[in-house]
């Protein structure tokens, strides 16, 4: 018998999850066709906020790559919209004129942003926040324009606002109500949230009703009911969503707010189903994935003809995915005269917790500033547990206290991943059955952690608890790129064991999927090989542009030149040379960098060798995964507080370690007293002079994820500083993952562990000897280029014009 | 109808393997690549990413180049940007006769 044809309209989160579940139930039940309006495979819409905020790329959020569709023999049409349905002949019709016949049809069309019907709403520059293309418009808009306004202070609006702020815009949020996220938070938590976001630079216009969008073709501002106005060249509408029901409605299926379905996701017409945000179940159209995934399970079983419990609706919990904000809410928010509230408001630490109880049952919770109990409270709420015998004290439990025991004591049926409804037992069973060792693998088997990601730390704890001693956080498996399934440690071990010596050989022998690798593994392998073999011959073409060119590429294809200025100390002679070169080559920008030296920006590629030659200086490696700068303060030679020669030590450190390859860039600072004018507290290695000695701080970072350094040792002499720096740096080189800054590495390895390695006299000596040996292999790269016609011909040749 | 011209742009033996070469022909900026298997490709030297970026300095792997500025993966053969990113770069027909490399444009 020929297979039945299943067609699905919409290639989004709920729809594709249904298909995944269906395939698990019965891979051969249907011939499946999916239409998706967007030009992408199925991606994690929830993480768009992270894409906008700059923490993830689109590639990072793809849930099902194209080969998943192929492997499962699913016919996918992306960038193609279904515009009509012929119910009589059971065919869907696309905007490209394609007609596809079906036996069963699923509507999984999601919803659309609601645009408030005011004058001027159709002007350019007004968008919703729903898909990849909205993100792209915002990213592009941020380049051209200054002022953004988000209408709506709910979940989506605030995430959009934070993203736009990160993109460098002035952002105001317009909100109709007196406090933010009023559907999820009470006034107290809403006020705390507002205060935090104001601190992060977002402006709020509360209790404002928009009545008009100003501007000619493009929006220039908004006018409010009270007559006031605000400037805006980019307006994001985030006041709510409307289910995409039109297609079903046109075809004669019963709709209300959404497409009406019963407890099995069936519409009023046989063989026609609806799932996700477009569906309305018992009067509710859900807008979060957790309930949608429960619906998906039911529908998948129904389609596979497997008996299933009905879907009877869900209780939902919400969190906000904005850095610096920990917030969770579920169930009722305000309570009534039947409810009793347990409230903790710790203004000092910015923590607010409220639990609403009615008839001995938790009916709602709002947590702000500290949300570790969210899972437990949500369970009590959704399981309607009787809380009579519980003490209310535990809600005051300190953060992190007895977390380990929490996992041990956690009952099997506790839901670990709210989005995907995965219980502790499911996670533990999967770990045992498939020998899982990483959070990502658990996600692959159970779906836990694959949506909002909030549960990942908990899954990590369960892994740790389940595997006991055999769990090694460092060994958690993460392939180095999509060309291989091997992780960093496996690759390094294979290189050593098989004696592999070149990037090409590694890819060949270890069975790389792409013969010449990709932009992730080429530089990584080149690094690992150079770390393993002290006399490694670098493969220049495996490096990405900046390191290959020994100059940093600029947006227009020109380069920057930043010469060494050891310890930030220069001379009149050198300044003259810089000035002469800048004049002669008409350098567009001469700038003091944040690293205490001078950068020449906007130099043409073919001029690089002669600029270097005329400067007669060394490369400052402002482009490399290596030692960047050693910032120093004036110190004891001049400063009245100085206790040590900070400039001297800084220059010595810079001269010793310059050029050494490291997993990521590496920065140092030396200050001569605790006033710390060289900012040693936020350096990969920061040294602070004190009376009679030096303090050595490690793991500091002043970049994306600010981290204060940890005190590693206090020592007496400069020689000891040099030794510890050598051993520390080499240990980082030998154990760091490519592109892992020391701030992350220190946290992964643990400071005590690192200390125990360095304190072992024999190990320390060996580390020092290996780094010294490695340092011998380097030549000055600018000099090398000046002297070699071959290098100039290959890398710096002028553009040939025909 | 457009007429095509044939322009000599390089010596085959001069082209480095896996390392793009930037040329301009008239007003067009073009990146030439000789890949490991020996074929030569020519594509416009500008990434279709909204913020642009040159392609000639990108890392070459097989028949693909990775944009040096935004890391998009682009096919040298048809100029197609690989998923999940999107776009297409203009490609030029390459002809090799003895040691001469010609472009049609
Ligand atoms: C030139 C300079 C800015 C300036 O005008 O002062 C600069 C410029 C760039 N920085 Fe920086 N950073 C500069 C000091 C810093 C500092 C301050 C410092 O070193 O004291 C920081 C924070 C400190 C830190 O790293 O802990 C800094 C944190 C970053 C980061 C975030 C790193 C992180 O781990 O969080 C990046 C992105 C990256 O490396 O992935 C980055 C990346 C970049 C790149 C290379 C971006 C790129 O890939 O093109 C910029 C190159 C510009 C160009 O066109 O050449 N830059 N960058 C500074 C050069 C210092 C030098 O003399 O070498
Ligand atoms: C920025 C953002 C942040 C979010 N954060 C969270 C969060 O933290 N937690 C949470 O639980 N939820 C969150 N959500 C909500 C969550 O993403 C949605 O609930 C979920 O994606 C809905 O799934 P769906 O399949 O119903 O719809 P969608 O994922 O929207 O998929 C529907 C798809 O169908 C396509 N389509 C529509 N009509 C047609 C047609 N006629 N032909 C072809 N294709 C069509 C659409 O283009 C779309 O790709 C967030 C949403 C956004 C936008
Ligand atoms: S760190 Fe101390 S010694 Fe150095 S310049 Fe500042 S005040 Fe002076
Ligand atoms: S709770 Fe959202 S992914 Fe697990």
């Amino acid at each position: 018998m020929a297979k039945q044809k299943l067609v699905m309209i919409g290639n989004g989160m709920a729809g594709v999850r249904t298909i995944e579940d269906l395939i698990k139930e019965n891979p051969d039940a249907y011939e499946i066709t999916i239409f998706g309006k967007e030009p992408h495979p199925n991606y994690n819409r929830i993480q768009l906020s992270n894409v906008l905020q700059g923490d993830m790329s689109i590639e990072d959020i793809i849930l099902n790559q194209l080969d998943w569709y192929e492997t499962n023999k699913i016919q996918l049409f992306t960038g193609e919209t279904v515009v009509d349905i012929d119910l009589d002949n059971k065919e869907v019709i696309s905007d490209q004129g394609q007609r596809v016949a079906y036996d069963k049809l699923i509507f999984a069309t999601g919803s659309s942003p609601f645009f408030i019907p005011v004058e001027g709403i159709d002007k350019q520059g007004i968008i919703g926040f729903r898909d990849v293309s909205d993100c792209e418009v915002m990213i592009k808009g941020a380049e051209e324009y200054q002022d953004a306004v988000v209408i709506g202070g709910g979940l989506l609006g605030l995430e959009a606002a934070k993203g736009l702020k990160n993109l460098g815009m002035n952002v105001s949020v317009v909100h109709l109500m007196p406090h933010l996220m009023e559907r999820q938070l009470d006034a107290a938590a809403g006020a705390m949230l507002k205060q935090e976001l104001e601190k992060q630079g977002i402006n709020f216009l509360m209790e404002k009703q928009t009545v008009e969008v100003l501007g000619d073709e493009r929006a220039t501002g908004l006018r409010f009911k009270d007559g006031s106005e605000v400037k805006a060249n980019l307006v994001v509408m985030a006041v709510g969503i409307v289910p995409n029901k039109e297609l079903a409605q046109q075809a004669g299926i019963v709709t209300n707010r959404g497409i009406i379905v019963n407890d099995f996701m069936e519409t009023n017409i046989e063989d026609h189903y609806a799932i996700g945000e477009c569906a309305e179940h018992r009067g509710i159209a859900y807008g979060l994935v957790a309930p949608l995934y429960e619906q998906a399970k039911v529908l998948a079983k129904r389609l596979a003809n497997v008996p299933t419990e009905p879907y009877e609706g869900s209780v939902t919990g919400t969190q906000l995915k904005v850095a610096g904000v920990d917030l969770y809410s579920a169930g009722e928010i305000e309570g009534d005269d039947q409810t009793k509230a347990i409230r903790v408001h710790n203004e000092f630490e910015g923590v607010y917790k409220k639990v609403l109880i009615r008839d001995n049952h938790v009916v709602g919770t709002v947590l702000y500033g500290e949300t570790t109990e969210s899972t437990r409270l949500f369970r009590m709420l959704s399981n309607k547990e009787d809380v009579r015998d519980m003490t209310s004290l535990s809600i005051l439990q300190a953060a992190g206290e007895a977390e380990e025991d929490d996992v041990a004591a956690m009952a099997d049926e506790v839901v670990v991943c709210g989005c995907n409804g995965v219980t502790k037992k499911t996670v533990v069973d999967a770990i045992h059955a498939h020998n899982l060792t990483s959070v990502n693998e658990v996600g692959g088997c159970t779906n836990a952690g694959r949506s909002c990601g909030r549960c990942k730390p908990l899954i990590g704890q369960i892994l740790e608890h389940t595997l006991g001693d055999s769990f090694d956080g460092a060994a958690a498996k993460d392939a180095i790129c999509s060309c291989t399934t091997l992780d960093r440690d496996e690759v390094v071990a294979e290189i050593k064991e098989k004696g592999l010596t070149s990037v090409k050989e590694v890819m060949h022998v270890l069975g790389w999927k792409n013969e010449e690798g990709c932009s992730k593994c080429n530089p990584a392998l080149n690094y690992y090989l150079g770390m393993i073999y002290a006399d490694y011959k670098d493969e220049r073409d495996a490096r990405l542009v900046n390191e290959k060119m020994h100059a940093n590429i600029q947006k227009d294809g020109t380069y920057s030149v930043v010469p060494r200025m050891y310890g930030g100390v220069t001379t009149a002679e050198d300044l003259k040379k810089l000035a002469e070169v800048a004049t002669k080559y008409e350098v567009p920008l001469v700038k003091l960098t944040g690293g205490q030296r001078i950068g020449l920006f906007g130099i043409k590629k073919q001029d690089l060798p002669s600029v270097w030659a005329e400067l007669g200086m060394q490369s400052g490696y402002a482009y490399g995964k290596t030692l960047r700068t050693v910032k120093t303060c004036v110190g004891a030679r001049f400063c009245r507080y100085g206790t040590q020669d900070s400039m001297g030590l800084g220059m010595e450190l810079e001269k010793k370690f310059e050029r050494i390859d490291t997993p990521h860039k590496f920065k140092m600072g030396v200050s001569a007293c605790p006033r710390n004018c060289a900012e040693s507290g936020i350096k990969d290695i920061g040294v602070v002079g004190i009376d009679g000695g030096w303090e050595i701080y490690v793991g500091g970072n002043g970049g994306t994820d600010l981290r204060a350094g940890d005190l590693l040792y206090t020592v007496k002499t400069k020689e000891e500083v040099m030794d510890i720096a050598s051993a520390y740096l080499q240990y980082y080189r030998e154990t760091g993952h490519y592109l892992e800054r020391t701030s992350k590495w220190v946290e992964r390895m643990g400071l005590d562990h690192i200390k125990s390695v360095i304190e072992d006299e024999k190990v320390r000596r060996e580390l020092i000897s290996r780094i010294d040996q490695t340092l011998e292999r380097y030549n000055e790269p600018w000099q090398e280029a000046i002297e070699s016609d071959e290098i100039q011909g290959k890398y710096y040749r002028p553009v040939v014009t025909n | 109808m457009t007429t095509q011209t044939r322009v000599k742009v390089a010596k085959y033996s001069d082209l480095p393997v896996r390392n793009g070469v930037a040329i301009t022909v008239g007003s067009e900026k073009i990146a030439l690549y000789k890949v490991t298997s020996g074929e030569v490709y020519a594509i416009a030297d500008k990434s279709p990413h909204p913020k642009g970026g040159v392609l000639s300095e990108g890392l070459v792997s097989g028949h693909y180049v990775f944009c040096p500025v935004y890391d998009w993966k682009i096919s040298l053969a048809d100029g197609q940007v690989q998923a999940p990113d999107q776009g297409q770069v203009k490609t030029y027909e390459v002809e090799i006769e003895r040691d001469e490399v010609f472009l049609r444009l």
Side-chain angles (χ1 to χ4, degrees):
Chain A
M1 200 180 85
K3 271 192 210 174
Q4 287 222 1
K5 294 194 180 67
L6 175 66
V7 169
M8 185 164 82
I9 310 173
N11 187 32
M13 298 188 72
V16 175
R17 172 56 68 83
T18 310
I19 302 297
E20 284 181 351
D21 288 347
L22 170 61
I23 289 170
K24 276 183 206 150
E25 297 290 346
N26 182 352
D28 297 316
Y30 295 92
E31 199 182 299
I32 303 172
T33 303
I34 303 179
F35 282 89
K37 185 150 67 178
E38 296 183 73
H40 306 277
N42 173 39
Y43 61 86
N44 189 342
R45 196 172 303 286
I46 298 181
Q47 302 290 4
L48 283 179
S49 311
N50 284 323
V51 172
L52 190 66
Q53 291 176 27
D55 298 334
M56 287 187 173
S57 70
I58 295 163
E59 171 69 7
D60 293 335
I61 66 168
I62 299 285
L63 287 170
N64 299 82
Q65 299 284 355
L66 289 174
D67 56 9
W68 175 81
Y69 294 87
E70 270 165 41
T71 317
N72 291 295
K73 299 196 207 67
I74 297 166
Q75 171 88 266
L76 172 69
F77 297 107
T78 56
E80 195 164 342
T81 308
V82 171
V83 288
D84 207 2
I85 292 158
D86 181 345
L87 270 192
D88 300 333
N89 294 314
K90 283 193 154 182
E91 280 181 343
V92 296
I93 300 146
S94 85
D95 59 346
Q96 302 183 14
Q98 190 171 198
R99 298 181 85 97
V100 174
Y102 61 83
D103 297 301
K104 297 194 167 164
L105 179 67
I106 306 176
F107 292 91
T109 47
S111 49
S112 304
F114 176 65
F115 282 69
I116 45 174
V118 295
E119 206 179 315
I121 195 73
D122 47 2
K123 290 197 197 330
Q124 283 169 28
I126 307 173
I127 54 162
F129 182 20
R130 181 72 195 173
D131 54 27
V132 167
S133 80
D134 293 331
C135 276
E136 285 168 353
V137 171
M138 286 192 244
I139 291 170
K140 192 134 185 290
E143 274 169 37
E144 286 173 47
Y145 303 100
Q146 281 288 317
D147 301 295
V149 169
V150 176
I151 305 184
L155 210 60
L156 211 56
L158 297 177
E159 290 185 9
K162 187 60 204 303
L164 292 166
K165 182 75 211 164
N166 282 14
L167 290 170
M169 300 192 79
N170 300 326
V171 184
S172 303
V173 173
V174 174
H175 197 56
L176 190 60
M177 306 306 248
H179 75 256
L180 297 175
M181 290 180 66
E182 73 284 348
R183 295 226 306 270
Q184 291 92 12
L185 299 183
D186 61 6
M192 292 170 88
L193 173 64
K194 177 158 169 274
Q195 207 178 15
E196 169 60 32
L197 293 174
E198 276 170 344
K199 229 169 60 196
Q200 299 192 13
I202 294 169
N203 185 31
F204 289 95
L205 301 168
M206 306 300 284
E207 299 183 70
K208 294 271 185 193
Q209 185 179 347
T210 311
V211 290
E212 187 185 347
V213 182
L214 308 171
D216 296 330
E217 267 174 30
R218 191 181 175 95
T220 57
L222 299 178
R223 191 187 343 263
F224 303 114
K225 199 170 177 185
D226 61 9
S228 61
E229 293 180 1
V230 61
K231 267 212 299 204
N233 323 104
L234 186 67
V235 179
V236 179
M237 289 296 308
V239 293
I241 51 176
V242 275
N244 292 327
K245 63 171 182 187
E246 295 74 15
L247 208 52
Q249 196 175 20
Q250 264 172 47
I253 292 170
V254 174
T255 65
N256 176 33
R257 203 175 115 70
I259 305 169
I260 292 183
V261 293
N262 64 14
D263 286 359
F264 298 96
M265 313 318 290
E266 297 163 329
T267 68
N268 67 312
I269 296 184
E270 203 184 339
D271 294 334
H272 292 73
Y273 308 84
I275 181 93
E277 286 191 352
C278 64
E280 178 179 325
H281 172 264
R282 300 194 186 180
I284 302 178
Y286 292 94
L288 292 167
V289 295
L292 307 185
Y293 287 172
E294 288 178 42
Q295 299 177 347
K297 258 187 218 156
V298 173
L299 176 55
K301 288 210 161 114
R302 174 105 317 190
L303 288 169
N305 250 329
V306 176
T308 170
E309 302 274 303
Y311 171 72
E312 298 181 297
S314 315
V315 189
T316 57
T318 339
Q319 54 144 13
L320 182 69
K321 302 184 297 300
V322 168
V325 179
D326 258 336
L327 163 172
Y328 181 82
S329 99
E332 294 177 34
I333 307 307
E334 297 295 355
D336 51 32
D337 43 4
Q338 310 288 309
T339 53
K340 297 235 168 356
I342 306 176
R343 222 182 257 113
V344 178
H345 192 165
N346 179 342
E347 288 182 298
F348 175 61
E349 285 170 8
V351 174
Y352 175 82
K353 303 178 182 184
K354 182 167 90 176
V355 179
L356 287 176
I357 297 176
R358 184 187 293 119
D359 303 334
N360 296 315
H361 296 294
V362 173
V363 292
T365 176
V366 176
L367 304 174
Y368 185 92
E370 223 281 302
T371 56
T372 43
E373 289 124 334
S374 59
T375 320
R376 193 165 51 86
L377 289 166
F378 184 66
R379 182 194 68 220
M380 295 182 191
L381 175 73
S382 44
N383 293 358
K384 306 194 171 67
E385 283 173 31
D386 196 314
V387 297
R388 216 167 328 187
D389 300 332
M390 296 182 189
T391 77
S392 58
L393 258 186
S394 62
I395 95 161
L396 272 172
Q397 207 175 25
E401 192 177 282
E403 250 169 32
E404 194 40 37
D405 297 345
D406 271 3
V407 174
M410 190 188 283
D412 276 352
E413 71 285 353
V414 170
V415 173
V416 175
C417 172
C419 287
N420 295 287
V422 181
T423 60
K424 178 187 171 201
K425 181 169 188 314
T426 311
V427 172
V428 172
D429 289 351
I431 293 172
H432 288 311
H434 305 284
N435 296 320
L436 308 182
T437 57
S438 75
V439 175
N440 282 350
E441 286 174 357
V442 171
C445 281
T446 64
N447 275 328
R450 277 183 76 207
S451 303
C452 74
R454 177 167 58 94
C455 56
K456 282 185 175 178
L458 187 56
I459 300 172
Q461 286 167 28
I462 296 177
L463 260 169
E464 199 168 341
H465 178 74
T466 310
L467 297 178
D469 287 344
S470 62
F471 177 76
D472 174 1
K477 191 161 165 154
D478 255 327
I480 66 172
C481 70
S482 57
C483 304
T484 178
T485 54
L486 301 176
D487 64 16
R488 181 259 178 215
D489 291 344
E490 289 167 337
V491 169
V492 168
E494 293 276 352
I495 293 176
K496 289 186 181 160
E497 189 182 312
K498 301 200 162 76
L500 309 176
T501 57
S502 72
V503 172
K504 199 171 158 198
E505 197 182 7
V506 174
M507 292 178 180
H508 183 70
V509 175
L510 302 185
W512 242 240
K513 276 176 233 154
N514 305 308
E515 217 176 310
E516 293 183 323
C518 68
S519 53
K520 289 201 173 65
C521 55
N522 270 286
L525 293 178
N526 190 46
Y527 170 73
Y528 294 134
L529 287 160
M531 176 273 288
I532 295 168
Y533 306 112
D535 58 353
Y536 176 66
K537 168 100 179 51
D538 189 65
E539 281 179 49
R540 191 164 182 155
D541 292 337
R543 291 183 181 262
L544 301 183
V545 59
N546 290 352
E547 296 195 322
K548 183 171 77 174
M549 301 298 286
H550 283 284
N552 198 305
I553 196 165
Q554 325 272 270
K555 55 199 277 189
D556 64 353
T558 61
Y559 287 87
S560 61
V561 167
V562 186
R564 278 269 174 239
M565 199 172 267
Y566 297 93
V569 179
T570 184
T571 60
E573 255 337 285
D574 279 354
L575 291 175
K576 265 194 223 158
K577 274 196 266 174
L578 282 161
E580 277 159 16
V581 169
T583 314
K584 176 166 169 191
Y585 290 89
E586 297 176 348
V587 173
L589 175 72
V590 182
K591 180 181 183 297
L592 299 186
T593 72
Q596 288 189 345
R597 44 194 184 172
I598 294 177
L600 306 178
F601 296 82
I603 296 183
K604 295 190 198 72
K605 176 171 79 166
Q606 66 268 26
D607 289 342
L608 288 171
S610 42
V611 165
W612 296 335
E614 285 169 47
L615 285 171
M617 299 175 188
Q618 320 253 312
S619 167
Y621 276 89
Y623 47 79
K625 309 283 176 257
T626 173
L627 178 67
R628 292 283 176 94
T629 56
V630 182
K631 291 215 234 190
T632 71
C633 74
V634 282
R637 283 205 237 161
F638 291 86
C639 175
R640 61 187 163 139
Y641 297 118
T643 60
Q644 297 284 1
D645 178 12
S646 46
M647 286 186 291
L649 176 60
M651 287 155 92
E652 202 172 313
L653 284 165
E654 192 164 353
K655 289 203 164 126
K656 171 150 184 146
F657 297 115
E658 64 177 328
R659 301 196 265 274
I660 186 86
D661 288 291
T662 42
H664 204 315
K665 60 191 178 195
F666 198 96
K667 299 179 177 182
M668 300 192 195
V670 186
S671 303
C673 87
R675 290 172 189 74
N676 220 339
C677 299
E679 299 164 340
S680 306
I682 48 163
K683 295 289 168 247
D684 296 273
I685 293 185
V687 185
V688 178
I690 50 173
D691 220 356
W694 302 94
E695 289 174 345
I696 305 174
Y697 291 84
V698 294
N701 188 303
T704 322
D705 294 312
L706 207 57
R707 182 178 193 275
D710 297 312
L711 180 63
L712 184 69
Y713 292 112
T714 304
V715 298
K716 292 215 167 58
T717 66
K718 218 161 75 169
E719 289 67 36
E720 287 171 279
V721 176
M722 296 302 288
D723 269 7
I724 287 169
S726 294
Y728 179 82
L729 200 49
Q730 181 64 10
Y731 192 52
Y732 167 54
R733 295 187 69 239
E734 291 181 5
T735 53
H737 292 191
Y738 188 68
L739 292 187
E740 179 181 40
R741 277 296 283 270
T742 59
S743 48
K744 302 276 184 221
W745 174 76
V746 165
E747 289 191 353
R748 178 164 67 82
M749 306 293 282
L751 193 66
D752 289 338
H753 165 78
I754 296 172
K755 275 190 180 163
S756 71
V757 171
I758 296 179
E759 272 158 26
D760 184 325
E761 169 78 23
K762 182 162 166 285
V763 175
R764 182 171 72 244
R765 287 289 139 221
E766 285 167 358
L767 286 167
I768 296 174
S769 125
R770 285 200 292 273
I771 198 168
D772 285 347
Q773 230 181 317
T774 307
L775 281 162
E776 280 172 26
R777 77 169 181 236
Y778 294 96
N779 295 319
E780 208 298 306
W782 289 357
Q783 195 60 34
E784 215 168 46
I786 296 166
E787 287 167 3
S788 159
D789 286 342
E790 196 195 322
I791 294 180
Q792 285 188 31
K794 184 164 176 192
Y795 299 104
Y796 306 101
R797 69 163 89 189
V799 177
V800 185
T801 310
N802 289 74
Chain B
M1 209 189 106
T2 53
T3 49
Q4 281 204 329
T5 45
R6 199 168 105 122
V7 190
K8 187 160 87 189
V9 289
K11 273 196 151 45
Y12 182 78
S13 55
D14 255 7
L15 291 177
V17 175
R18 286 187 78 188
N19 199 80
V21 171
I23 59 170
T24 60
V25 181
S27 60
E28 301 190 47
K29 291 189 186 337
I30 299 171
L32 275 185
Y33 304 86
K34 188 199 274 183
V35 300
T36 308
S37 55
E39 285 110 328
V40 175
Y41 295 102
I43 64 175
D45 196 6
K46 186 171 180 309
S47 163
H49 185 283
K51 292 198 197 171
V54 288
L55 294 176
S56 46
E57 318 284 18
L59 183 124
V60 179
S61 166
H63 298 255
Y64 297 94
V65 62
F66 288 87
C67 159
V69 190
Y70 301 104
D71 206 30
W72 283 13
K73 184 178 180 183
I74 297 165
S75 162
L76 296 174
D78 59 11
Q80 204 69 49
V81 175
Q82 305 298 296
D85 304 306
Q86 292 172 41
Q88 188 162 25
V89 188
K90 180 168 178 193
T91 55
Y92 300 85
E93 208 177 306
V94 178
E95 285 169 12
I96 302 169
E97 274 165 31
R98 281 179 299 271
D99 198 29
E100 311 281 13
V101 179
F102 296 90
L103 293 190
R104 279 200 178 275
L105 70 173

